[in-house]
């Protein structure tokens, strides 16, 4: 069954992979935080800048995907691409048509 440019199998694969993508994305954020906290900046600066970064990062799809449904799966995938949470390698297993759409979008994001 084709739905909004992707198949039922694509939807199931997305739901299966999303938690792993988010975990990987958050691991990357934690590494960034560690590096930032190891800097020579004053403690107060680190504290307030980290608080601001956490506030922004926790709203990203890579950390928290809200409203997960078939109708917005493409948009969630685009958000994950924009945030760097997923890349072309993560498109393996999706239907050829959907994978082609994701690759096209990913290339546009790279070009800016």
């Amino acid at each position: 069954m084709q739905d909004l440019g992707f198949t039922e199998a694509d939807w199931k694969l997305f739901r299966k992979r999303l938690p792993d993508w988010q975990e990987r994305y958050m691991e990357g954020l934690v590494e960034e935080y560690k590096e930032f906290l190891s800097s020579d900046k004053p403690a107060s600066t680190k504290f307030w800048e980290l608080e601001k970064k956490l506030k922004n990062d926790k709203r990203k799809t890579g950390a928290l995907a809200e409203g997960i449904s078939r109708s917005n799966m493409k948009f969630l995938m685009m958000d994950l691409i924009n945030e760097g949470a997923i890349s072309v390698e993560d498109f393996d297993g999706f239907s050829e048509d959907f994978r082609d759409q994701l690759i096209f979008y990913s290339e546009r994001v790279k070009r800016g």
Side-chain angles (χ1 to χ4, degrees), residues 32-39 41 45-46 49-50:
E32 285 179 30
Y33 302 155
K34 284 183 195 177
E35 195 173 306
F36 172 73
L37 291 171
S38 297
S39 72
K41 293 183 179 186
T45 300
K46 289 190 237 184
E49 286 184 24
L50 181 61

Side-chain angles (χ1 to χ4, degrees), residues 5-102:
F6 53 86
T7 66
E8 181 67 18
D10 291 332
W11 166 241
K12 289 179 181 178
L13 185 58
F14 169 77
R15 287 191 356 234
K16 179 181 176 188
R17 289 188 179 171
L18 181 61
D20 292 334
W21 292 337
Q22 290 175 308
E23 189 66 23
R24 184 180 67 200
Y25 179 74
M26 287 185 276
E27 285 173 5
L29 290 176
V30 168
E31 290 304 314
E32 285 179 30
Y33 302 155
K34 284 183 195 177
E35 195 173 306
F36 172 73
L37 291 171
S38 297
S39 72
D40 293 334
K41 293 183 179 186
S44 59
T45 300
K46 289 190 237 184
F47 179 86
W48 291 113
E49 286 184 24
L50 181 61
E51 191 271 337
K52 185 187 297 184
K53 183 155 180 51
L54 282 165
K55 187 176 181 179
N56 290 328
D57 289 343
K58 71 182 183 182
R59 293 186 180 128
K60 294 182 178 177
T61 303
L64 175 68
E66 296 181 308
I68 300 171
S69 67
R70 283 176 181 82
S71 61
N72 70 0
M73 182 179 101
K74 268 185 170 176
F75 300 111
L76 292 171
M77 293 286 285
M78 289 178 193
D79 286 345
L80 292 167
I81 292 166
N82 286 334
E83 295 166 4
I86 60 174
S87 63
V88 173
E89 293 79 27
D90 295 306
F91 306 157
D92 288 345
F94 287 98
S95 66
E96 186 176 346
D97 288 344
F98 189 51
R99 193 172 53 246
D100 288 346
Q101 291 176 49
L102 295 172

